[in-house]
Amino acid sequence: MLLAAVLAILVTMVLALIRALLGPTAYDRMLASNLFGTKTVLLIAVGGHALDWPSFVDVALLYAMINFVGTLAVMRFFQAQPQPQPQAPAAEHPPGEEHP
Amino acid sequence: MTPLVVELVSDLFFIAGGFLCVTGGVGLLRFPDFFTRIHASGVTETLAAPLLLGGVMCRTGWSLDTAKLLLVIIFLLATNPTAAHAMARAALQGGLKPWLGAAGEEGNGEQGNGEQGNGEQGRRDAGEGEGSSSLR
């Protein structure tokens, strides 16, 4: 069952990578990157216990802290410097929309 | 080494956590908007991490690693919703508009908001959402 959990985490990491590659906005990429980091923490914890690594939890704890601080730092950066063109989903806006 | 009941509980935690992981990943990939994606990933992440780490905690037994894993769980429970909230707030202040349904052009919530109070203000807010970033 450890193997199933590791496989589920790996599949989720692949999905997050796909979203990070084709995300329309930078926020989508940052969200996928944050999820990837959280999944890395879980992968280190579960896989480290499966492989009997010594002191794997320290690495997981440190990675969780670094992931949180990095996400907040990048979000503050984007908050101070807004996106030049926030691409909303393009198909939902009809082309004949009036602009007052 | 570990009793059978503890191992069964750990397996249950692993199954539930893995299911929530994959669900969050699929939601992150398939949902149409940034705010729906942050809903999918943030909600499932907050429950999947304690489930998986709790499964590992059941297997390690009573040792120092258990306390450290509990520390990781507490840290993730504190920081994951905070990070999701910060991201949604940054996106909203950066000028990203939520997607309000596929049928209406701007959604019903925006129109109802405009009809209630000052209609001109609501229409102006709805119109400037494309390019500008001056939400406050």
Side-chain angles (χ1 to χ4, degrees):
Chain A
M1 217 37 80
L2 275 167
L3 185 65
V6 168
L7 276 181
I9 294 172
L10 283 177
V11 165
T12 312
M13 286 169 92
V14 169
L15 293 177
L17 267 188
I18 293 173
R19 174 48 70 193
L21 282 181
L22 51 84
T25 62
Y27 303 111
D28 289 310
R29 296 175 209 273
M30 199 55 220
L31 176 63
S33 158
N34 184 26
L35 190 134
F36 192 83
T38 313
K39 287 312 167 211
T40 310
V41 174
L42 295 180
L43 183 68
I44 289 171
V46 179
H49 178 260
L51 294 180
D52 273 337
W53 286 346
S55 75
F56 61 97
V57 199
D58 302 330
V59 184
L61 185 56
L62 190 67
Y63 202 90
M65 291 178 180
I66 289 177
N67 183 34
F68 176 61
V69 173
T71 303
L72 276 197
V74 176
M75 274 305 133
R76 289 299 286 187
F77 177 71
F78 280 130
Q79 202 172 6
Q81 190 181 29
Q83 285 291 102
Q85 39 100 22
Q87 287 245 348
E92 284 80 23
H93 292 289
E97 191 180 11
E98 75 272 8
H99 291 284
Chain B
M1 42 184 178
T2 56
L4 188 62
V5 180
V6 177
E7 198 149 343
L8 279 180
V9 169
S10 162
D11 284 351
L12 208 62
F13 277 1
F14 278 143
I15 289 173
F19 174 71
L20 277 180
C21 267
V22 178
T23 312
V26 170
L28 178 77
L29 189 61
R30 295 281 299 164
F31 273 179
D33 191 14
F34 170 73
F35 294 98
T36 53
R37 279 174 208 146
I38 206 171
H39 174 90
S41 83
V43 170
T44 56
E45 283 308 298
T46 311
L47 193 52
L51 280 176
L52 285 173
L53 293 177
V56 178
M57 269 172 75
C58 289
R59 295 206 176 210
T60 51
W62 291 104
S63 65
L64 187 59
D65 279 348
T66 313
K68 286 177 187 172
L69 280 171
L70 191 63
L71 209 61
V72 176
I73 287 177
I74 291 174
F75 193 77
L76 280 181
L77 274 183
T79 59
N80 240 333
T82 313
H85 178 80
M87 271 188 283
R89 189 184 163 92
L92 200 60
Q93 289 185 356
L96 205 64
K97 282 288 182 180
W99 179 62
L100 296 174
E105 17 183 317
E106 277 297 324
N108 292 326
E110 200 100 9
Q111 286 178 0
N113 203 2
E115 279 176 6
Q116 267 184 6
N118 38 5
E120 188 178 349
Q121 178 82 20
R123 205 177 309 136
R124 191 175 60 81
D125 279 350
E128 76 174 359
E130 267 313 307
S132 75
S133 66
S134 62
L135 273 183
R136 68 167 192 175

